[in-house]
Amino acid sequence: MLKGIDPVLGPDLLAILRAMGHGDEIVIADANFPADANAERIVRLDGVPGPRAVQAVASVLPLDDFVPEAAFRMEDSSAADVVPPVVQEYAAILKAAGYERGIAAIERHAFYARAREAYAIVVTGEPRFWGNLILKKGAIPPDDGGGS
């Protein structure tokens, strides 16, 4: 255990989040997501609900502010315009963490393709369908506020 670090963030997930660079993406997937078929790096958080995993990751991961959106959800194939309740929870968590932009929808097969390119996939125990999220890592400016 570490002070100030969410206990959901175990050593493997912390190492991945720390190693990611600006623009790298991480998938937070529901329990039905085919992670083994789509990732080089996988962290399992079985039994941890998706919103709880998003909250833990958002507590340490800066989101990219050089792009229109830094959060993406899998679109519901049967209701493309409907934002699933689990994604509404993700949006509230990200907003509480300071992310003011929306979560862009990505068609299901395009989401899988993008997930294959992600730095890592975090598999949660989230049982609800469409509980998948991609987050794009941002950069932390130097203390003097200057660029990198």
Side-chain angles (χ1 to χ4, degrees):
M1 298 288 292
L2 296 170
K3 291 176 163 184
I5 300 292
D6 190 309
V8 169
L9 301 174
D12 294 335
L13 183 50
L14 277 173
I16 284 170
L17 294 170
R18 177 64 176 100
M20 290 172 62
H22 180 214
D24 283 341
E25 295 182 342
I26 190 162
V27 178
I28 300 176
D30 65 30
N32 291 298
F33 193 84
D36 287 338
N38 286 294
E40 285 185 40
R41 296 173 195 89
I42 297 175
V43 175
R44 299 205 63 92
L45 295 179
D46 298 315
V48 176
R52 181 68 182 89
V54 170
Q55 180 182 33
V57 169
S59 74
V60 297
L61 185 75
L63 294 181
D64 197 342
D65 56 4
F66 289 100
V67 293
E69 291 97 12
F72 308 89
R73 67 175 177 91
M74 182 185 284
E75 188 176 84
D76 180 337
S77 300
S78 63
D81 294 333
V82 175
V83 179
V86 66
V87 175
Q88 293 174 26
E89 291 177 40
Y90 293 163
I93 291 163
L94 294 177
K95 184 174 183 174
Y99 179 73
E100 296 292 332
R101 291 166 282 145
I103 298 177
I106 300 176
E107 185 275 329
R108 182 170 62 103
H109 294 289
F111 189 98
Y112 288 139
R114 190 162 181 167
R116 282 190 288 279
E117 300 299 319
Y119 191 85
I121 296 178
V122 178
V123 181
T124 71
E126 179 56 55
R128 292 175 284 181
F129 294 160
W130 314 110
N132 303 301
L133 186 67
I134 295 174
L135 299 175
K136 183 181 287 287
K137 186 176 183 182
I140 298 173
D143 289 338
D144 66 5
S148 51

